[in-house]
Amino acid sequence: MKCRIGCGACCIAPSISSPIPGMPNGKPAGVRCVQLDDDNLCRLFGKPERPKVCGEFSADKDVCGESRGEAIILLTSLEKDTHSG
């Protein structure tokens, strides 16, 4: 599966523990990454400052579903299921 351009669900729903430029402590689940622009595109895409975890994410129907809304639901559910705290 290819990423849906302008989706941004993976930059909102999950927590990211790695430092992100503008978010030195990472980001909590459900919080929009500061590097996500108004068109839901990553400002760091292809740049060395982009966190490794972001670059390693691959779009997959199991986590991205059929739409942006479904991706938010699926990723939020995965976040809750895997949260250790």
Side-chain angles (χ1 to χ4, degrees):
M1 165 177 194
K2 290 188 178 184
C3 257
R4 283 186 288 276
I5 302 299
C7 174
C10 60
C11 303
I12 299 168
S15 60
I16 298 176
S17 58
S18 304
I20 301 165
M23 299 180 107
N25 298 315
K27 70 164 228 54
V31 172
R32 185 179 180 84
C33 179
V34 298
Q35 296 301 331
L36 197 60
D37 71 15
D38 291 340
D39 294 320
N40 290 327
L41 300 174
C42 178
R43 292 182 184 100
L44 299 177
F45 191 84
K47 295 183 178 180
E49 310 91 281
R50 186 175 183 212
K52 183 178 178 183
V53 68
C54 299
E56 290 177 348
F57 180 82
S58 294
D60 186 276
K61 190 172 180 170
D62 290 340
V63 295
C64 299
E66 298 290 337
S67 67
R68 179 181 189 274
E70 191 174 354
I72 293 281
I73 291 167
L74 291 169
L75 288 165
T76 298
S77 178
L78 283 169
E79 177 70 28
K80 287 179 183 172
D81 290 348
T82 60
H83 182 68
S84 60

